[in-house]
Amino acid sequence: FGHRDACRHLLALQHLQLLVWTGEAEVSGIRLRSFANAHKIRPAPAGLTATAALVRQAAVATFRQNALDIFMDCPSRERAGWLCDSLFAARAEWHFCGDNPIERAFLENYLRPAKFAGLPPGMVPMCYPAEPLHGQFIPNWAMFLVLQLDEAKRARRLPAAWRPLIAHRVRGLVDYFRRFENESGLLEKLESWVFVEWSKANDFVQDVNFPTNMLYAAMLRAAARLLRDPRLAAHADRVRAVVQAWSWRGGRFVDH
């Protein structure tokens, strides 16, 4: 089986299969060690139905497994701190714990470096700490960083001393995306892994992608608040108006 302590380091499993190639082996004392968020969870709201209580119980278990020192993708295969996911995990942390220390640690990782090696100027990694293999990044996830910084600053707790760090990071991203604006103000032909979601929608991410531009409008509005720049808010309104004019068809938004 290998090292006698190997089982202690497994974080999650569905099945465990032990193989003995030659000879005989006796296996005993297999255990699964729990790694989970230890912060005190707020009591459940009064009056929850039995079904809602079960849903909340599952949500707490999911949160505790995926919120240790940073927010993780999952507790077994991919223990990485991805943007976008982090916004929703941070909301859960605030709801369940009444504070956001893990979110602050997560965001500080993105704010402290002056720049990120292997990426274009102003861009941030799609997950961090990590190295950008082949220089790949998700521009959509970088926009979610601005949304999360804005929401955390307004609705949760961020150190006041971070203001210049936030301004530097947000300004860098605004300058990066400006290079891809077309004559209508929409983003066109973005670089690297343009990602919307794991669905057919991701077959339509080039050249002008409406979901990405909707996110861009939200990012510009968040950046306007963080940088106190009304020009960015005005640009957000223009992007939103163009998306509505071109994409709203027959009671729904369409792409391509």
Side-chain angles (χ1 to χ4, degrees):
F1 181 75
H3 193 277
R4 64 182 178 85
D5 287 333
C7 281
R8 298 182 186 177
H9 302 293
L10 296 173
L11 286 178
L13 54 85
Q14 184 175 11
H15 307 287
L16 175 64
Q17 184 178 31
L18 304 177
L19 302 177
V20 179
W21 298 114
T22 60
E24 297 179 356
E26 181 178 333
V27 180
S28 63
I30 293 178
R31 297 183 302 276
L32 189 66
R33 173 171 289 184
S34 174
F35 290 90
N37 184 293
H39 288 118
K40 184 177 180 181
I41 301 296
R42 286 173 161 178
L48 287 183
T49 65
T51 299
L54 284 174
V55 171
R56 186 181 188 276
Q57 183 180 351
V60 169
T62 301
F63 166 74
R64 293 184 66 237
Q65 293 177 63
N66 289 284
L68 298 176
D69 54 341
I70 59 172
F71 299 126
M72 301 186 299
D73 181 89
C74 63
S76 56
R77 182 182 64 85
E78 195 169 341
R79 297 184 294 277
W82 288 82
L83 288 170
C84 179
D85 299 6
S86 61
L87 171 62
F88 305 98
R91 291 173 178 173
E93 180 187 27
W94 185 258
H95 174 76
F96 287 135
C97 304
D99 199 0
N100 60 331
I102 301 175
E103 181 184 31
R104 291 194 294 271
F106 183 96
L107 292 174
E108 189 170 13
N109 285 335
Y110 277 94
L111 295 176
R112 290 295 179 186
K115 60 181 180 179
F116 295 97
L119 296 177
M123 182 46 61
V124 299
M126 50 192 175
C127 65
Y128 194 77
E131 60 178 321
L133 298 176
H134 311 295
Q136 189 179 60
F137 57 91
I138 302 178
N140 310 62
W141 275 202
M143 296 186 217
F144 267 102
L145 174 61
V146 180
L147 266 62
Q148 185 171 354
L149 286 168
D150 174 52
E151 183 176 293
K153 184 176 181 294
R154 290 184 294 108
R156 296 185 286 275
R157 295 184 185 131
L158 293 183
W162 285 8
R163 181 174 295 175
L165 298 176
I166 293 173
H168 171 75
R169 186 63 68 227
V170 172
R171 179 58 66 187
L173 286 168
V174 169
D175 291 344
Y176 170 84
F177 284 110
R178 186 171 288 130
R179 298 189 291 114
F180 296 91
E181 291 179 0
N182 62 19
E183 65 277 6
S184 301
L186 299 184
L187 297 177
E188 184 171 354
K189 296 183 179 179
L190 283 176
E191 297 176 309
S192 202
W193 184 11
V194 183
F195 185 79
V196 176
E197 63 178 11
W198 293 112
S199 76
K200 188 70 174 178
N202 238 60
D203 290 345
F204 309 115
V205 295
Q206 293 293 350
D207 289 334
V208 174
N209 176 248
F210 287 118
T212 297
N213 276 285
M214 294 173 184
L215 180 60
Y216 185 48
M219 186 205 96
L220 289 170
R221 189 164 300 283
R225 287 188 288 263
L226 290 168
L227 299 175
R228 301 177 181 178
D229 188 342
R231 295 171 299 177
L232 294 175
H235 187 26
D237 290 337
R238 289 193 295 272
V239 171
R240 177 174 179 172
V242 173
V243 169
Q244 288 179 327
W246 289 3
S247 181
W248 183 253
R249 294 288 182 273
R252 61 181 178 178
F253 288 102
V254 299
D255 211 11
H256 288 246

